[in-house]
Amino acid sequence: MKTMAEESAIFFPETALKYLPLYQPTIVTWNRLEGRTRAEDFDRAMKAEVRDALWMISRQWQMGEFIGDDAGSPVLAKVHMATTALNKYQAGGLPASPLEKDIPLEVKAEHQSIPFQQGELNISLDLRLLMGRQWLKWIAQIDPALKGDYITEYPIARPDPAQESDARICAHIQAWQQVAAVAGRRMDGYALYSYLKEDAARHAYDNIPGVTDDAQRTAIDGIAAKFIAWYERLYYQPHKKENPSWKPEYLEHQFACSAPKDGGEKVLAAEEYYHGHLDWYNFDIDQHRTSLDTDPGAPALENPEASITHTFIPTSVSFGGMPHPRWWTFENWKTDLGFVQPDTTDLNKLLLLEFILVYANDWFIVPFTLPVGTLADIKGLMVTNVFGENIWVQAAGSGSDEDWQRWSMYTLNVKGTEEVPADLSLVVLPAARKVLESKPVEEIFMLRDEIANMVWGVESQVPLVTGKSKPGKEAGYELRNKLQQLMDQTGEVVPEFTYQAKIRYQVTNSVPEQWIPMIPVHIEGNNREIQLQRAAMPRILEGDPNVPKKIEPRTSLLREGLEEGQPYFLHEEEVPRAGIKVNKSYQRTRWYNGKVYTWVGIRKQVGKGGGSSGLAFDQILPAKTQE
């Protein structure tokens, strides 16, 4: 607070004070005008006092607050709910099996086999060494001298850089160094595992000269059973070679679950699952299937249907950043709503802001705890307000399932286009809450080449023999250079012709090795529809007098059926103009019972558009001339 002398210095400058007898006192300049209280108590100054209450009422009338028809606040709610549980699972053409509750559903639907073999080449060296180290650790407890015998019986082969069969190893210097470092020194644990799994009559001590007595054989049999259980617990894989839910012709998973309902079954079908996270929107209700086919000799399952009636006290919905419903009360939340700057096309943010700022205090929550795997249907909800009125609440999504104006969330769609009542049941899937995902072990892009009028499968990430991955462009370039080096070392050189003309005719050129062609073929029995079939480009090496060999894909995603000599077909409509991106990676989650699951899953996403392979036919090029 300023003194009177200070105020005079502000309102009457020094130049004006010198000529007061000549000029009338006047305010020449100032730098601030402020109010000053006469008391030391600021309580009344901080109050928002209204002298005229009629003015407040008129403002409410102008803002339309008297038009609203507000009801009393709810004080009691009674809910009647019918529940059942998912108890069957079916994938592919196999009979339905009981749905285990101790495993996440996406693990059961997604898990793939870990590839250990590509043609004649052993891959996944990291897992082979891991399994071998575990076995040698356990076998040393019986007799440390047996470790050398198992390394000799199940060795890591040393690659030969002069052999074409080992070119895929020696072409990549890091992979070559790692394989050569462990060759003859470490054990191939997967070779022992596959030997035991192929025939139950086999033993882990077969062909091991150091095992001489029955006591050792008995101990080794116990370790072998423990070894198999350890590996199968470490990585969740299909019991058979492939997961029946995976459909390579669609690059999607297809499976179904069912729950008992009113003497029959309610079938939930997931026919286009590729997202990597399983949720309610992946399922549709298949009203044309009344049950899932099961084995006739399978034991009957318990009926989990139940009816529950609970009484609750509703509570207001609250969240961080929620405006306070009372006037002149500041919020103490940490959410800054002013920082949210949605665009005109960002509908989700606009709806969220409208809910927060306008309708936040109009919503109440009635908690109802359901176990995992439950399919619940609310049969009735009655709310009692503070005036003692009982109000029967109907679901907002009621009506025909084909009504395009019907709006609901977390409800399942009914397959088909028939006029059927909307299904308002809620499914609580036994899905993992959080999944850790590794870097892609394999990654491909399916894209359209409009210039060449073809579809290509471009291998963006390919697995190496070590278990790690490498960009497909680099891996293809290194492999081609290694094969060309081996060709140059053979000494077989095709003599070049001396062309008299200055131009030459070329039928076709080549493309990078990671580009796998998908050619269109007719669907059998149909003259109009087509599908895509995996083909191969020839590997043309300079000076090679032999017939060019086919370039094989290096990812298991594009090697589908190649080991068995079967063609691979892909539906043409699965590759849009934007293309698709498919990757395979390791995934890990922890279930509610504390058990950890690790598996290999596949995810499909939208691609990055089309591409150009550079493939061209019928070209006129400058001729090579010799002096």
Side-chain angles (χ1 to χ4, degrees):
M1 184 175 295
K2 299 182 177 65
T3 62
M4 185 62 68
E6 291 174 343
E7 284 297 326
S8 300
I10 293 176
F11 290 102
F12 298 95
E14 184 178 358
T15 56
L17 293 175
K18 291 181 180 179
Y19 303 99
L20 281 178
L22 301 179
Y23 299 97
Q24 295 293 330
T26 177
I27 299 176
V28 179
T29 182
W30 62 86
N31 60 3
R32 185 172 63 184
L33 296 177
E34 60 181 8
R36 184 180 294 109
T37 180
R38 298 181 180 180
E40 297 181 357
D41 188 5
F42 290 90
D43 291 341
R44 184 178 179 186
M46 296 299 295
K47 294 181 180 179
E49 295 183 350
V50 179
R51 299 295 182 182
D52 191 358
L54 182 60
W55 180 86
M56 268 300 218
I57 297 177
S58 62
R59 289 296 296 171
Q60 288 181 288
W61 172 77
Q62 290 178 347
M63 300 299 295
E65 295 185 11
F66 295 154
I67 303 177
D69 185 11
D70 299 330
S73 301
V75 294
L76 196 65
K78 182 173 291 187
V79 179
H80 180 69
M81 183 177 295
T83 62
T84 183
L86 301 173
N87 60 355
K88 286 185 180 180
Y89 172 84
Q90 186 180 32
L94 301 179
S97 60
L99 181 62
E100 304 95 333
K101 298 297 180 64
D102 58 344
I103 175 175
L105 185 56
E106 58 236 81
V107 178
K108 192 175 184 64
E110 295 180 12
H111 65 287
Q112 301 282 334
S113 299
I114 300 177
F116 284 90
Q117 201 84 16
Q118 279 192 2
E120 300 297 329
L121 182 66
N122 294 333
I123 62 174
S124 300
L125 178 65
D126 51 353
L127 296 183
R128 292 176 181 269
L129 296 176
L130 174 66
M131 299 171 67
R133 183 177 61 183
Q134 187 67 31
W135 174 262
L136 295 179
K137 177 182 177 181
W138 285 338
I139 205 67
Q141 300 175 1
I142 299 176
D143 187 359
L146 296 177
K147 296 174 62 176
D149 296 338
Y150 278 98
I151 293 176
T152 304
E153 182 64 22
Y154 304 100
I156 302 293
R158 183 179 298 276
D160 187 359
Q163 297 295 326
E164 184 179 350
S165 58
D166 293 336
R168 287 185 54 181
I169 302 177
C170 301
H172 317 296
I173 184 65
Q174 295 180 351
W176 183 12
Q177 291 174 347
Q178 186 170 348
V179 176
V182 298
R185 300 183 178 91
R186 292 294 181 265
M187 172 188 170
D188 187 350
Y190 181 76
L192 173 62
Y193 173 81
S194 59
Y195 175 80
L196 297 175
K197 292 290 290 186
E198 288 176 359
D199 190 352
R202 295 178 178 178
H203 300 278
Y205 51 79
D206 295 343
N207 304 322
I208 304 298
V211 180
T212 57
D213 55 6
D214 294 338
Q216 284 184 330
R217 295 187 180 93
T218 303
I220 292 176
D221 285 338
I223 293 179
K226 181 181 178 181
F227 174 71
I228 294 175
W230 166 80
Y231 172 70
E232 294 179 352
R233 184 176 65 253
L234 189 63
Y235 295 99
Y236 191 87
Q237 298 185 72
H239 298 294
K240 297 185 178 181
K241 188 174 181 180
E242 294 298 338
N243 185 359
S245 71
W246 174 247
K247 302 299 179 183
E249 63 272 18
Y250 294 97
L251 294 175
E252 297 169 350
H253 294 279
Q254 296 180 4
F255 58 96
C257 301
S258 68
K261 187 69 173 178
D262 299 333
E265 293 182 15
K266 178 178 285 190
V267 179
L268 277 62
E271 297 183 351
E272 298 181 5
Y273 173 58
Y274 54 84
H275 308 80
H277 175 66
L278 191 63
D279 214 330
W280 57 272
Y281 47 78
N282 297 119
F283 285 92
D284 294 332
I285 296 178
D286 193 349
Q287 59 178 347
H288 301 291
R289 301 174 65 181
T290 57
S291 63
L292 296 180
D293 299 331
T294 57
D295 287 330
L301 301 176
E302 297 182 359
N303 189 357
E305 291 186 85
S307 180
I308 307 174
T309 302
H310 280 180
T311 302
F312 304 93
I313 298 178
T315 58
S316 300
V317 175
S318 61
F319 49 87
M322 178 178 177
H324 202 282
R326 301 186 66 86
W327 186 64
W328 203 250
T329 302
F330 291 96
E331 295 81 15
N332 56 358
W333 302 95
K334 298 181 180 180
T335 302
D336 186 7
L337 297 178
F339 185 75
V340 182
Q341 299 177 356
D343 296 331
T344 55
T345 58
D346 201 344
L347 184 59
N348 293 333
K349 288 184 179 179
L350 292 174
L351 290 175
L352 178 61
L353 288 177
E354 184 178 4
F355 169 77
I356 293 176
L357 299 175
V358 181
Y359 305 105
N361 59 343
D362 294 340
W363 290 81
F364 292 82
I365 184 172
V366 178
F368 203 112
T369 303
L370 295 173
V372 173
T374 300
L375 192 65
D377 190 5
I378 298 178
K379 296 298 183 181
L381 173 60
M382 186 183 68
V383 179
T384 304
N385 59 15
V386 293
F387 301 112
E389 299 174 341
N390 296 326
I391 303 172
W392 184 262
V393 180
Q394 294 184 351
S398 302
S400 174
D401 188 70
E402 297 299 317
D403 186 5
W404 66 274
Q405 293 182 332
R406 185 181 64 88
W407 187 89
S408 63
M409 288 187 64
Y410 310 114
T411 56
L412 302 175
N413 178 51
V414 180
K415 289 181 59 178
T417 58
E418 295 122 1
E419 289 287 342
V420 295
D423 192 285
L424 303 178
S425 56
L426 172 70
V427 58
V428 183
L429 294 175
R433 180 179 178 88
K434 184 67 175 179
V435 176
L436 300 178
E437 186 173 358
S438 69
K439 294 182 179 180
V441 180
E442 299 179 7
E443 184 178 81
I444 63 172
F445 285 90
M446 306 296 297
L447 52 86
R448 293 185 177 272
D449 185 358
E450 298 295 344
I451 298 178
N453 196 19
M454 288 185 60
V455 174
W456 298 88
V458 182
E459 295 180 320
S460 176
Q461 292 286 336
V462 299
L464 299 181
V465 65
T466 59
K468 297 182 179 181
S469 59
K470 192 179 186 69
K473 184 177 180 179
E474 296 181 14
Y477 180 78
E478 294 173 355
L479 178 58
R480 184 180 182 85
N481 286 349
K482 180 61 179 178
L483 294 175
Q484 185 65 53
Q485 178 186 4
L486 294 176
M487 178 58 58
D488 297 339
Q489 292 174 357
T490 58
E492 299 181 5
V493 179
V494 178
E496 295 185 1
F497 294 96
T498 301
Y499 298 99
Q500 299 298 328
K502 295 183 178 181
I503 59 175
R504 62 186 177 91
Y505 170 72
Q506 180 174 280
V507 178
T508 181
N509 61 351
S510 183
V511 299
E513 294 216 355
Q514 75 273 15
W515 288 64
I516 307 301
M518 305 290 292
I519 59 176
V521 296
H522 281 290
I523 296 179
E524 186 177 356
N526 195 309
N527 293 329
R528 297 180 61 87
E529 297 184 15
I530 64 172
Q531 58 185 349
L532 303 175
Q533 181 179 0
R534 180 190 58 213
M537 295 290 293
R539 179 182 286 119
I540 302 175
L541 302 175
E542 295 183 5
D544 188 4
N546 303 316
V547 178
K549 296 182 179 180
K550 297 179 180 179
I551 299 177
E552 295 183 355
R554 301 180 63 172
T555 59
S556 60
L557 296 171
L558 290 178
R559 292 180 65 90
E560 183 69 33
L562 189 61
E563 312 297 342
E564 298 81 11
Q566 299 295 327
Y568 171 47
F569 297 98
L570 176 66
H571 287 275
E572 191 264 344
E573 63 272 11
E574 296 298 328
V575 186
R577 290 183 62 88
I580 56 175
K581 172 185 174 182
V582 186
N583 57 51
K584 176 184 286 189
S585 60
Y586 287 95
Q587 303 185 36
R588 185 178 186 270
T589 187
R590 185 184 296 274
W591 198 222
Y592 63 84
N593 56 4
K595 189 175 181 180
V596 176
Y597 288 92
T598 305
W599 74 100
V600 177
I602 301 176
R603 176 180 297 184
K604 183 173 69 173
Q605 297 173 319
V606 180
K608 299 181 179 179
S612 176
S613 61
L615 181 66
F617 302 92
D618 302 330
Q619 288 182 302
I620 301 297
L621 301 175
K624 296 181 180 179
T625 59
Q626 287 183 337
E627 296 182 359

